[in-house]
Amino acid sequence: LIDGDPGHKYESFFFKEFMPYIENNYPVMTDRAHTAVAGLSMGGYGASYYAFNYPERFSFSYSMSGAIEGLDWTTITDKVPSVEDIFTRKGYKQEDFPKLPAYFIDCGTEDILCKIFNDTTHEFLESINFKHTFREYEGGHSWEYWKESYKRMIPDLASQFAK
């Protein structure tokens, strides 16, 4: 998701092409208070990465079965920073936390790919007293699980935007 490797320009694409396209072609609000990022699996990592690297852009982030601890398909790698790495690199302290997006982690109890990473991220955030929502429900790394996860996300998103 980071722009470090040739051919992997997701971050540039997201901010320089995708978001401008949406903002220019659809009647959306573009201020931080009305901008959210969400995703599943690798996209759940992206939602976490973007939220904590660009907190001035997003008020809400929802990771569904996210590969959020630096998973690089088969291994943990320094090239894909974990949420803890991002917090450390950015130097976030408790006084910064209110400026960060509302953060939700939603993962299946039978998710053999990402549950351990979601648990690790939750434990890290708990250890630093970062307020977030951590949910586990029966299910695996599947569309069946994500369909239900989307249904759980909508009320949280509506609540955030109602503030």
Side-chain angles (χ1 to χ4, degrees):
L1 288 169
I2 54 179
D3 278 352
D5 291 331
H8 294 102
K9 304 288 187 191
Y10 296 110
E11 191 170 358
S12 293
F13 165 75
F14 189 84
F15 287 104
K16 293 180 181 175
E17 295 178 47
F18 180 69
M19 285 188 69
Y21 179 84
I22 297 299
E23 292 169 353
N24 290 322
N25 290 283
Y26 296 95
V28 297
M29 299 172 117
T30 60
D31 62 307
R32 178 190 188 271
H34 294 95
T35 304
V37 62
L40 55 92
S41 193
M42 186 174 136
Y45 172 76
S48 303
Y49 178 87
Y50 295 156
F52 296 129
N53 273 294
Y54 302 94
E56 70 282 359
R57 302 285 305 261
F58 305 102
S59 64
F60 179 94
S61 176
Y62 203 98
S63 173
M64 295 170 264
S65 307
I68 52 180
E69 279 301 309
L71 181 66
D72 187 13
W73 296 115
T74 59
T75 186
I76 295 176
T77 174
D78 292 339
K79 292 178 4 180
V80 182
S82 69
V83 170
E84 182 174 357
D85 294 335
I86 295 166
F87 269 66
T88 301
R89 190 183 72 245
K90 292 288 219 172
Y92 289 138
K93 304 212 178 325
Q94 287 200 343
E95 58 266 20
D96 301 314
F97 295 172
K99 299 174 194 165
L100 298 177
Y103 186 55
F104 295 77
I105 300 170
D106 186 326
C107 190
T109 55
E110 288 81 41
D111 187 332
I112 61 171
L113 291 175
C114 295
K115 183 177 181 333
I116 190 168
F117 303 116
N118 286 258
D119 290 345
T120 301
T121 298
H122 168 61
E123 290 165 10
F124 164 69
L125 295 173
E126 286 281 300
S127 76
I128 63 169
N129 296 314
F130 180 77
K131 184 181 175 193
H132 64 289
T133 301
F134 178 71
R135 297 183 178 132
E136 293 182 298
Y137 295 95
E138 186 176 325
H141 205 81
S142 68
W143 283 107
E144 182 178 310
Y145 182 84
W146 298 322
K147 285 183 213 175
E148 296 304 313
S149 186
Y150 276 115
K151 292 176 189 174
R152 291 187 289 271
M153 179 188 69
I154 298 302
D156 294 322
L157 180 61
S159 175
Q160 177 69 26
F161 288 171
K163 291 181 182 177

